[in-house]
Amino acid sequence: MPEMPEVQGLVDYLRSKLLPPDAPALVIADVEVLSIPVLKTAAVPLEELYAGPVSDVERRGKFLVVTAGGVHLVMHLAKAGWLRWSDALKPGRLRPGRGAMALRVRFATEDGSAQPGFDLTEAGTRKSLAVYVVRDVADVPGIARLGPEALDVGPAAFEELVGSHHGQIKGLLRDQSAIAGIGNAYSDEILHAAHLSPFAIGAKLGPGEVQRLFEAMGAVLESAIENASGRPAAELKDSKRQAMRVHARTGEPCPVCGDTVREVAFADSSLQYCPTCQTGGKLLADRRMSRLLK
């Protein structure tokens, strides 16, 4: 799932294409909905996006927002969605089907010499990608529920947040209503950097552990954003995978201590961790036991 660093990378890339510093902003010429369930709103017509040039591209948590014509095209890429940019789309509309294509947005250049644009695609059979057209981004339920951005949370607020959380710390990091932007992958990386078990209970962490977690959150996310900055959309997923230390590296050696990276599998996801770095060498139990095996 694209998380805050990758979505920020997409924002930066789209800004360079849609809001070039030395040229007029592009105008949305057409939006093709190729998978009907992807569009979650009906109150604002798509045609309102064509009323004026692109005026902003921004991120809210893991949501990507393109503003044009005074309204907002809001996209959440979910678990298997992605954005593919083209400097020159082929003319003609696509035929809706059952493939990966969900949405195409076509732009018009000032001289009409090319029609750049992007496609939203979603792999697999479980379709969760979501697109909204709204006049106020707060009309998107997922945005209305967002907590503060992860890098905007101060140490005192973070300490209070962790201290009042009586569940597992990984769940808190992934809770978008508590901290916006972190998902499964970066919560694994943050906990590894903080030397904390994903099953640790927030309210039971000591002051030193909370400080380590706060510092790790900032360091991991800032490094990931720097890694994503300036990369074309086509390169962001691979660069994310290559930078991971434990996430999705089950069975590989931990780059810090050399121990084998382990996994806890759930019904539709999994987490990875290093026993030596995070759990004192003990192996975490499966989701049904939720305790440490001796």
Side-chain angles (χ1 to χ4, degrees), residues 78-111:
K79 188 172 184 178
W82 195 241
L83 182 149
R84 297 176 180 174
W85 174 266
S86 173
D87 286 327
L89 292 171
K90 293 181 179 180
R93 284 185 143 233
L94 300 175
R95 180 177 297 178
R98 297 182 179 180
M101 286 285 292
L103 190 88
R104 168 165 284 185
V105 181
R106 191 184 298 268
F107 298 89
T109 57
E110 187 178 38
D111 60 5

Side-chain angles (χ1 to χ4, degrees), residues 144-168:
R145 292 193 298 266
L146 288 178
E149 294 284 340
L151 293 179
D152 292 340
V153 180
F158 186 77
E159 182 177 3
E160 182 178 354
L161 190 65
V162 173
S164 63
H165 184 71
H166 295 278
Q168 295 171 354

Side-chain angles (χ1 to χ4, degrees), residues 29-97:
D30 192 22
V31 178
E32 298 179 56
V33 180
L34 302 166
S35 173
I36 299 301
V38 76
L39 187 61
K40 306 301 182 183
T41 53
V44 181
L46 290 172
E47 289 75 16
E48 289 198 23
L49 290 164
Y50 313 158
V54 174
S55 58
D56 199 7
V57 183
E58 61 179 328
R59 178 187 59 78
R60 302 288 182 93
K62 292 185 279 187
F63 289 83
L64 175 63
V65 184
V66 176
T67 302
V71 296
H72 311 282
L73 179 66
V74 181
M75 297 157 279
H76 190 281
L77 298 174
K79 188 172 184 178
W82 195 241
L83 182 149
R84 297 176 180 174
W85 174 266
S86 173
D87 286 327
L89 292 171
K90 293 181 179 180
R93 284 185 143 233
L94 300 175
R95 180 177 297 178

